[in-house]
């Protein structure tokens, strides 16, 4: 399978054109970094501009977003794309997470394991119409009103990939995700 990473500094207005080009070249997956533009917005632009290629975030900065925020966006993109959306998550390194995003630093591997557990609990709540209940060390999610719950859809099994540069996060990817994303400089 051929995965093509779009330029991480590509303006949002150019994403659709570049995604169409990648699709025409026969790429299987187009990835969008969460750097110069929001990866979810880029993914939506790529999805709407294409019909076959899968679209993935590559290293979405998840710890700067609550699991619910990530779940809502990824759920909607999976439905919009008829199952072509893939969710790639990244923990970032401590100086970036604290200095650029102003978020507290915690050991990333256990936190990522919980983040994935929280995402799956949210997806299950929506898909199976069951109460939301996830309680961990870093995340506690216990409320989902029925009138604000997204509708179930046939693309609820969203493939999740994790960015990893060390053995602990690589182990989490092996245990909890469908794939491992390498650092863009590799």
């Amino acid at each position: 399978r051929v995965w093509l990473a779009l330029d991480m500094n590509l303006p949002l207005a150019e994403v659709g054109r570049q995604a169409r080009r990648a699709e025409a070249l026969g790429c299987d997956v187009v990835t969008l970094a969460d750097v110069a533009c929001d990866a979810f917005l880029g993914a939506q632009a790529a999805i709407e501009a294409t019909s076959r290629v899968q679209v993935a975030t590559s290293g979405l900065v998840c710890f700067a977003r609550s699991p619910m925020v990530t779940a809502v966006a990824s759920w909607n993109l999976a439905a919009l794309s008829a199952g072509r959306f893939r969710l790639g998550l990244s923990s970032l390194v401590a100086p970036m997470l604290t200095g650029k995003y102003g978020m507290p630093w915690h050991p990333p591997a256990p936190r990522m394991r919980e983040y994935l557990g929280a995402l799956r609990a949210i997806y299950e709540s929506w898909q199976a119409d069951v109460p939301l209940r996830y309680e961990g060390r870093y995340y506690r999610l216990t409320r989902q009103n029925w009138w604000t719950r997204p509708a179930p859809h046939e693309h609820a099994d969203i493939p999740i990939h994790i960015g990893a540069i060390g053995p602990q996060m690589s182990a989490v990817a092996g245990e909890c995700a469908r794939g491992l994303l390498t650092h863009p400089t590799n």
Side-chain angles (χ1 to χ4, degrees):
R1 296 178 54 93
V2 176
W3 289 51
L4 179 94
L6 295 183
D7 183 336
M8 69 174 61
N9 292 310
L10 188 67
L12 184 59
E14 290 294 314
V15 169
R17 186 175 68 77
Q18 292 298 325
R20 274 192 307 276
R21 182 173 181 267
E23 184 174 68
L25 290 171
C27 291
D28 298 297
V29 182
V30 170
T31 67
L32 297 119
D34 197 29
V35 181
C37 73
D38 183 278
F40 282 138
L41 291 175
Q44 181 177 353
I47 287 165
E48 290 181 336
T50 60
S51 61
R52 179 198 56 79
V53 69
Q54 292 186 14
V55 176
T57 58
S58 64
L60 183 83
V61 182
C62 63
F63 296 157
R65 295 171 170 91
S66 79
M68 184 60 74
V69 169
T70 298
V72 168
S74 59
W75 189 261
N76 288 322
L77 290 170
L80 178 69
S81 68
R84 294 187 294 128
F85 178 71
R86 304 174 81 93
L87 179 61
L89 302 174
S90 173
S91 62
L92 288 183
V93 294
M96 288 298 289
L97 190 64
T98 60
K100 182 177 179 181
Y101 292 96
M103 300 302 296
W105 177 254
H106 301 283
R111 189 173 178 190
M112 182 64 80
R113 187 176 281 110
E114 273 198 23
Y115 199 94
L116 296 176
L119 281 176
R120 291 196 172 97
I122 295 165
Y123 295 154
E124 177 68 16
S125 172
W126 297 342
Q127 189 67 14
D129 192 24
V130 297
L132 174 58
R133 188 136 206 87
Y134 185 84
E135 295 190 46
R137 178 177 175 200
Y138 304 101
Y139 302 102
R140 183 175 185 270
L141 304 163
T142 59
R143 184 177 179 124
Q144 174 64 69
N145 299 327
W146 64 268
W147 63 88
T148 61
R149 178 181 300 175
H153 60 71
E154 59 189 80
H155 309 290
D157 186 20
I158 301 167
I160 299 175
H161 308 277
I162 298 173
I165 57 173
Q168 291 180 343
M169 194 65 85
S170 296
V172 172
E175 295 167 23
C176 304
R178 293 218 191 140
L180 183 143
L181 301 168
T182 60
H183 194 277
T185 59
N186 287 351

